């Protein structure tokens, strides 16, 4: 604890060095209150918890220096008290430290797990809350970034699954926020720390590779640096010149993006020149280009047109004296350099009595986070969409393009004329049919470049296309198009559903119900209104039959029976007996009824059976009589037979007791071109024999020939076609 006390005093001393004579009493009170609230708590590292808020405060003092006001530092000291201590509330902080500090602490406090919400939803709510608080007061995010930075520096103490989760969140959310705010200093460190935990193997490899290469690299840098330095001195220009450090994560990303080996990326030398005035930057650029050959197309003037995160610098790339290596050179003033390191923190200044958002800061930040998060408040978007918005709006680099009248539009890199149209106005976006860039017609998927003048061509009858989603970049355009398409889909479903129900009513010869009735039916499905009911029918969520039977309940049972039987038939429709053609229905499971064994030429009828497809009966089969079968289940069928097809049939032959009769019958059947699949003889009580033969026949004519032939056999008294063929072999 003494160590922490000492650290706190050192932090106050540092603050005094930037702001001599500043009143420290409020900070000391905040420290005591926080210490009390966290008493007995330990960090996973084993140190007293209080170390964390003090370190967080120190990071902010380092960052803001002169601009560090008492409120943000109090908030940093108190930032974890509400989350960790039940007796400490935002109201209590407001009572003791005022509303500003309370708002800041509240802004960084996690939303606690809410019942009935997924963890993902809670997480999204927390981000949203943080971004919205940030829109009101930028200091919220500074505290949050400092908090996260210290947690990342001490991440080793946590178990692996937590480390991975926190490192991912840092890489995906906090580092990009730092980047957006131009706080490069924190961004680099967060990225490298996240990299270390997410990809330890590559991290270690890079660290080793860099230390091996360091000397060679430093020597190469000297060879470029020294002549420039001498020349600047000669010309009397006040400037410092450095070799530029490279960050591990950015090296890895560059390797992956350019698919280049480590050496190539690391060998790309970087030099930075800091001057005391803006004019000197251009003079230095001239000197450098005079000494070395500039690489074409690599000059960037971010002084004249700063990046959206306020970054200002001149960038150029030259080849070294031997013409062997490329050297990237950044030229900027010391003030610009400080801004490049700490971004918004350099512009940030707390003014007494200032309420509401700082306009200037908001303008400099653009619409990215602040506007986006505020807009998002009104949307009932799902967590995935919000995360998508966050990632794209935080990560994307941007381009600047112009309207024909010279209006400036800032868009994510890769944006198309469609993005541009939506950036102007939703109505323009919805009506876009084409675009001109610098006066020439381009396709809608054309990727815009900075500085181009874009003109959108609209037509009052045009509507957004689903294809657009394939190439638009801005989350604004994406969201608008998605919402439009969803709306359109609903409208189409409503139309389709209305039509389907109308057709069913007509088919069943029923009147179209009154609006009131339809409303009741909708409600009975738990739907708010009739269009929603139509939409559900159209989308196939609710069957038209179930709606029909709620409108006309008296027809319900019969209807349901037929329907479910048909549904099951359709499900069973894998095996099809050839030879039967059923009305208009194809692909159904059809079987020949074994009670009556129809063969082609017999008059037949189909019966829809429960779960067994359609069985085909002779029309005179007792099983098909109307009093036994629901007329709804009868279905017309026709024969539709191949030449070679055979149908089994059972013949009963009665004859005198004679040796060899069975063999004679079989021989006759065989001679007529068919097979006997089953034969048996039994002795009857009156001394006659009874033979049963199952034979396969083509049709009823074929059967007649066989019967006549058998009748002519000596000893045969009669031949009958049996009602049933009984159990067939193999069945
Ligand atoms: Mn914390």
């Amino acid at each position: 604890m003494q160590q922490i006390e000492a650290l706190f005093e050192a932090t106050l001393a540092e603050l005094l060095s930037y702001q001599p004579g500043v009143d420290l009493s409020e900070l000391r009170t905040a420290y005591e209150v926080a210490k009390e609230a966290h008493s007995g708590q330990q960090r996973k590292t084993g140190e007293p918890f209080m170390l964390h808020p003090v370190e967080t405060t120190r990071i902010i003092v380092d960052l803001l220096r002169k601009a560090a006001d008492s409120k943000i530092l109090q908030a940093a000291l108190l930032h974890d008290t509400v989350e960790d201590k039940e007796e400490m509330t935002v109201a209590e902080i407001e009572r003791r430290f005022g509303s500003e500090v309370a708002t800041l602490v509240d802004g960084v406090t996690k939303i606690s797990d809410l019942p009935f919400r997924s963890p993902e939803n809670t997480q999204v709510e927390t981000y949203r809350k943080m971004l919205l608080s940030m829109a009101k007061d930028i200091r919220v995010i500074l505290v949050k970034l400092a908090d996260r930075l210290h947690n990342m520096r001490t991440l080793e103490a946590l178990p692996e699954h937590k480390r991975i989760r926190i490192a991912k969140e840092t890489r995906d959310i906090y580092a990009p926020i730092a980047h957006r705010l131009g706080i490069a200093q924190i961004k680099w460190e967060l990225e490298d720390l996240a990299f270390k935990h997410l990809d330890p193997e590559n991290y270690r490899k890079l660290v080793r590779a860099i230390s091996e290469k360091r000397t060679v690299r430093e020597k190469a840098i000297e060879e470029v640096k020294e002549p420039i330095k001498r020349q600047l001195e000669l010309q009397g220009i006040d400037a410092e010149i450095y070799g530029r450090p490279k960050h591990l994560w950015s090296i890895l990303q560059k390797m992956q993006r350019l698919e280049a080996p480590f050496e190539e990326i690391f060998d790309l030398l970087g030099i930075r020149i800091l001057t005391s005035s803006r004019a000197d930057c251009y003079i230095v650029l001239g000197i450098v280009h005079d000494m070395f050959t500039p690489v074409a197309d690599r000059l960037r003037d971010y002084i004249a047109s700063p990046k959206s995160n306020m970054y200002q610098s001149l960038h150029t790339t030259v080849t070294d004296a031997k013409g062997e290596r490329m050297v990237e050179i950044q030229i900027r003033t010391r003030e610009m350099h400080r801004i490049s390191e700490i971004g918004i923190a350099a512009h940030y200044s707390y003014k007494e009595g200032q309420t509401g958002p700082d306009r200037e800061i908001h303008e400099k930040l653009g619409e990215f986070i602040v506007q986006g998060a505020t807009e998002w408040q009104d949307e009932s978007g799902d967590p995935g969409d919000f995360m998508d918005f966050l990632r794209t709006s935080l990560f994307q680099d941007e381009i600047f393009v112009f309207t024909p009248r010279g209006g400036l539009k800032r868009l994510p890199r890769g944006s198309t004329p469609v993005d541009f149209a939506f950036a102007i106005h939703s109505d323009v976006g919805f009506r876009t049919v084409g675009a001109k860039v610098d006066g020439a017609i381009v396709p809608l998927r054309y990727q815009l470049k900075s500085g181009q003048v874009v003109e959108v061509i609209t037509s009052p009858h045009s509507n957004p296309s689903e294809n657009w989603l394939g190439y638009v970049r801005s989350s604004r355009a994406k969201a608008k198009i998605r919402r439009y398409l969803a709306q359109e889909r609903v409208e189409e479903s409503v139309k389709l559903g209305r039509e389907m129900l109308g057709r069913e009513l007509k088919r069943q010869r029923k009147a179209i119900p009154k609006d009131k009735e339809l409303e009741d039916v909708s409600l009975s499905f738990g739907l708010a209104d009739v269009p929603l009911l139509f939409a559900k029918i159209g989308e196939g969520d609710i069957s038209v039959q179930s709606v029909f039977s709620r409108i006309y309940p008296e027809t319900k049972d019969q209807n349901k029976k037929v329907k479910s039987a048909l549904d099951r038939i359709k499900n069973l429709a894998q095996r099809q007996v050839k030879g039967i053609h059923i009305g208009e229905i194809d692909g159904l499971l059809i079987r020949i009824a074994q009670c009556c064994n129809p063969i082609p030429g017999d008059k037949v009828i189909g019966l829809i059976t429960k779960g067994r497809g359609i069985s085909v009966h002779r029309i005179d089969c007792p099983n098909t009589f109307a009093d036994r079968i629901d007329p709804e289940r009868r279905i017309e069928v026709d024969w539709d037979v191949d030449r070679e097809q055979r149908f089994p049939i059972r013949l009963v032959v009665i004859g005198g007791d004679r040796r060899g009769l069975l063999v004679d019958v079989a021989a006759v059947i065989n001679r007529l071109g068919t097979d006997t699949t089953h034969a048996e003889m039994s002795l009857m009580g009156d001394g006659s024999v009874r033979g049963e033969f199952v034979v396969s026949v083509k049709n009823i004519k074929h059967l007649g020939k066989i019967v006549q032939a058998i009748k002519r056999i000596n000893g045969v008294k009669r031949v009958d076609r049996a009602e049933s063929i009984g159990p067939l072999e193999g069945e």
Side-chain angles (χ1 to χ4, degrees):
M1 210 60 206
Q2 263 175 351
Q3 256 180 319
I4 295 170
E5 205 89 50
L7 184 68
F8 180 59
E9 289 303 327
T11 307
L12 294 182
E14 194 186 335
L15 182 65
L16 276 175
S17 77
Y18 297 124
Q19 306 176 34
V22 71
D23 180 10
L24 300 174
S25 59
E26 282 174 319
L27 291 184
R28 292 192 190 280
T29 314
Y31 176 81
E32 290 306 324
V33 170
K35 195 171 95 177
E36 171 64 25
H38 294 301
S39 68
Q41 277 184 297
Q42 280 194 339
R43 304 202 85 217
K44 283 282 182 316
T45 51
E47 293 150 325
F49 189 88
M50 200 50 203
L51 179 68
H52 170 64
V54 172
E55 286 284 15
T56 304
T57 309
R58 209 160 78 111
I59 290 169
I60 293 176
V61 170
D62 278 344
L63 188 73
L64 293 179
R65 301 185 188 177
K66 261 195 290 224
D69 65 276
S70 178
K71 304 291 179 198
I72 191 176
L73 298 177
Q74 289 171 53
L77 286 166
L78 294 162
H79 82 268
D80 271 329
T81 55
V82 174
E83 215 161 276
D84 291 349
K85 270 303 213 223
E86 276 188 16
E87 52 267 38
M88 185 58 93
T89 60
V90 174
E92 175 68 7
I93 290 184
E94 180 162 1
R95 195 181 66 76
R96 300 187 65 163
F97 298 95
S99 65
E100 253 181 273
V101 176
T103 309
L104 294 178
V105 171
D106 187 38
V108 294
T109 300
K110 265 194 291 223
I111 292 196
S112 48
D113 293 343
L114 300 167
F116 316 119
R117 278 201 196 230
S118 69
E120 202 192 4
N121 265 313
T122 307
Q123 185 63 64
V124 165
E125 281 307 313
T126 299
Y127 291 141
R128 192 197 313 218
K129 177 184 168 191
M130 188 178 76
L131 293 177
L132 290 172
S133 326
M134 184 175 128
K136 292 193 202 104
D137 193 329
I138 204 79
R139 288 175 296 181
V140 168
I141 199 62
L142 297 179
V143 175
K144 191 68 208 175
L145 287 173
D147 168 47
R148 177 52 59 114
L149 181 55
H150 182 243
N151 284 336
M152 286 299 290
R153 283 175 182 171
T154 54
L155 202 57
E156 259 84 5
L158 296 185
E160 192 185 6
H161 70 278
K162 276 196 174 176
R163 284 194 286 121
I164 301 285
R165 182 177 58 75
I166 294 172
K168 262 198 188 126
E169 187 187 46
T170 301
R171 184 192 62 193
D172 293 346
I173 306 289
Y174 291 102
I177 288 178
H179 171 68
R180 270 287 163 245
L181 300 179
I183 312 175
Q185 192 178 302
I186 288 183
K187 175 206 152 174
W188 294 126
E189 192 173 348
L190 288 178
E191 278 180 350
D192 280 358
L193 288 168
F195 174 28
K196 182 176 165 187
H197 291 280
L198 291 174
D199 190 358
E201 198 181 322
N202 273 323
Y203 181 85
R204 272 194 299 272
K205 259 193 224 161
L206 266 188
V207 170
R208 200 173 328 123
I210 285 170
S211 73
E212 281 165 8
K213 281 268 178 181
R214 179 159 290 142
T215 347
V216 185
R217 182 181 151 85
E218 275 167 6
K219 191 165 164 283
I221 287 178
E222 282 306 297
E223 286 172 12
V224 182
K225 213 177 86 178
E226 278 311 309
I228 297 178
K229 199 174 168 184
R230 277 197 302 277
Q231 192 60 30
L232 291 177
E233 277 166 12
L234 221 68
Q235 309 238 359
I237 289 165
D238 168 33
E240 294 154 60
I241 178 163
Y242 303 100
R244 211 165 82 229
K246 293 236 172 179
H247 298 277
L248 297 168
W249 176 239
S250 69
I251 293 174
L252 186 80
Q253 278 191 313
K254 231 177 184 173
M255 283 165 63
Q256 287 169 348
R257 196 173 59 236
L258 304 176
E259 289 173 20
F262 166 78
E263 284 73 17
E264 233 168 80
I265 302 299
F266 195 65
D267 285 356
L268 194 67
L269 302 179
I271 281 176
R272 183 174 291 146
I273 303 170
L274 303 185
T275 69
S276 53
S277 77
R278 184 182 161 122
D280 279 356
C281 290
Y282 293 98
I283 295 172
V284 171
L285 180 72
I287 291 171
V288 168
H289 279 185
D290 219 27
M291 298 173 68
F292 300 96
T293 314
V295 178
D297 266 352
R298 294 292 291 268
L299 176 65
R300 300 277 180 279
D301 186 351
Y302 296 117
I303 291 179
S305 38
K307 289 191 186 179
S308 70
N309 65 9
M310 297 171 287
Y311 177 87
Q312 285 189 297
S313 190
L314 296 176
H315 287 188
T316 186
T317 302
V318 299
T319 48
D320 70 2
K322 296 172 209 147
E324 281 171 359
R325 312 175 68 140
M326 305 252 268
V327 189
E328 292 175 330
I329 298 176
Q330 299 175 343
I331 305 161
R332 53 178 87 142
T333 66
R334 293 187 183 90
E335 174 63 13
M336 287 170 192
H337 180 59
R338 166 124 173 102
I339 293 169
S340 78
E341 290 290 301
I342 65 170
I344 196 153
H347 288 258
Y348 160 79
S349 70
Y350 171 71
K351 294 175 204 80
E352 196 72 50
Q354 167 191 296
T355 53
D358 183 326
R359 278 256 43 97
E360 194 195 3
I361 285 175
H362 282 201
E363 270 158 29
K364 281 181 173 139
L365 272 175
E367 297 176 357
F368 298 105
I369 303 168
V370 177
Q371 178 81 6
T374 318
E375 264 179 22
W376 201 267
Q377 201 175 23
D378 311 323
E379 317 269 336
S380 53
D382 72 291
D385 275 0
F386 183 70
M387 293 310 286
D388 189 41
F389 150 75
L390 250 190
R391 285 194 194 101
T392 50
S393 61
L394 290 176
F395 267 117
Q396 277 165 339
D397 269 347
E398 60 281 343
I399 54 165
F400 301 88
V401 286
F402 299 94
T403 67
R405 288 180 176 178
L408 178 72
K409 291 286 163 199
R410 185 185 282 160
L411 294 168
R413 183 171 302 283
S415 283
T416 63
V418 178
D419 294 284
F420 179 84
F422 278 98
I424 293 173
H425 198 280
S426 303
D427 289 343
V428 178
F430 288 142
R431 302 286 170 240
T432 298
V433 287
K436 282 185 189 172
V437 166
D438 295 335
I441 299 268
V442 295
L444 284 180
R445 58 168 62 244
Y446 177 86
Q447 297 201 349
L448 300 171
K449 292 176 196 70
S450 271
Q452 290 177 327
V453 175
V454 188
E455 188 181 341
V456 177
I457 304 164
T458 60
S459 152
H461 307 298
S462 176
N463 288 314
S465 141
E466 189 148 10
N467 294 338
W468 291 3
L469 286 176
Y471 49 79
V472 295
R473 282 296 158 87
S474 56
S475 50
R476 179 187 168 83
K478 260 187 213 163
K480 298 275 180 199
I481 296 166
R482 277 209 196 106
R483 210 167 317 144
Y484 173 85
L485 292 173
Q487 180 61 33
E488 189 189 43
R489 202 143 38 211
V490 168
E491 278 163 20
E492 266 171 20
S493 299
V494 169
K495 235 165 85 186
L496 181 63
R498 190 197 308 274
E499 166 119 15
M500 283 167 74
L501 183 62
R503 238 187 273 163
E504 180 68 11
L505 289 164
K506 203 171 162 193
R507 197 177 70 79
Q508 307 245 22
R509 298 195 169 78
K510 297 286 189 185
I512 290 168
K514 295 192 170 59
D515 290 356
K516 180 75 187 69
E517 281 177 83
L518 277 177
E519 241 165 66
D520 289 345
V521 170
S522 307
L523 288 174
S524 79
F525 281 101
L527 301 171
D529 56 25
V530 180
L532 208 51
L533 178 70
F534 288 147
K536 289 283 180 190
I537 297 173
E539 278 160 21
D541 292 341
I542 293 179
S543 78
V544 70
Q545 283 76 22
S546 63
V547 175
F548 180 84
S549 59
R550 288 202 192 179
I551 302 172
Y552 294 106
E554 67 278 3
T555 59
K556 183 180 172 182
D557 288 346
Q558 181 194 77
N559 203 40
K560 198 173 172 184
K561 213 187 299 169
V562 174
K563 196 59 210 167
S564 62
L566 271 172
D567 280 346
R568 258 174 297 166
I569 288 163
K570 277 171 191 155
N571 289 338
L572 286 167
Q574 321 97 333
R575 184 163 61 102
Q576 195 173 3
V577 172
K578 277 234 166 175
I580 293 286
H581 169 78
I582 298 179
E584 293 173 353
I585 307 171
D586 276 328
L588 298 185
L589 174 63
I590 296 164
R591 45 207 300 286
I592 304 293
Q594 293 186 19
C595 51
C596 56
N597 295 290
I599 57 173
D602 285 330
K603 280 205 171 351
V604 287
I605 181 95
L607 293 187
I608 296 166
T609 64
K610 290 190 179 113
R612 299 185 64 193
I614 291 170
S615 64
V616 178
H617 295 258
R618 274 146 67 174
I619 197 114
D620 55 353
C621 173
N623 287 336
T624 70
F625 291 169
D627 59 337
R628 299 177 66 171
I629 299 296
D630 189 333
E632 291 289 344
R633 289 172 54 199
R634 296 167 74 97
I635 187 166
E636 280 190 21
V637 297
D638 293 320
W639 293 105
D640 179 15
V641 195
D642 280 350
R643 279 176 81 99
E644 300 309 314
Q645 242 175 306
R646 296 288 189 275
F647 295 83
I649 194 169
R650 187 183 295 259
L651 292 175
V652 179
V653 179
I654 309 289
D657 182 14
R658 170 173 89 76
R659 200 182 278 267
L661 184 62
L662 182 69
V663 178
D664 289 348
V665 173
V668 166
I669 293 170
N670 220 355
R671 204 179 62 227
L672 287 168
T674 187
D675 291 318
T676 310
T677 55
H678 175 86
E680 74 179 23
M681 276 250 173
S682 51
L683 199 61
M684 311 285 283
D686 63 356
S688 58
V689 288
R690 185 179 187 274
E692 282 191 19
F693 302 86
V694 175
V695 299
S696 298
V697 300
K698 283 190 214 170
N699 51 38
I700 200 147
K701 200 172 161 195
H702 186 199
L703 176 65
K705 275 188 191 164
I706 293 169
V707 170
Q708 290 308 316
I710 295 172
K711 275 185 177 168
R712 283 197 296 268
I713 294 171
N714 186 19
V716 169
K717 290 176 184 161
R718 54 183 294 186
V719 182
D720 290 306
R721 176 177 172 186
E723 282 293 333
S724 160
I725 55 170
L728 285 172
E729 270 175 350
E731 237 195 14

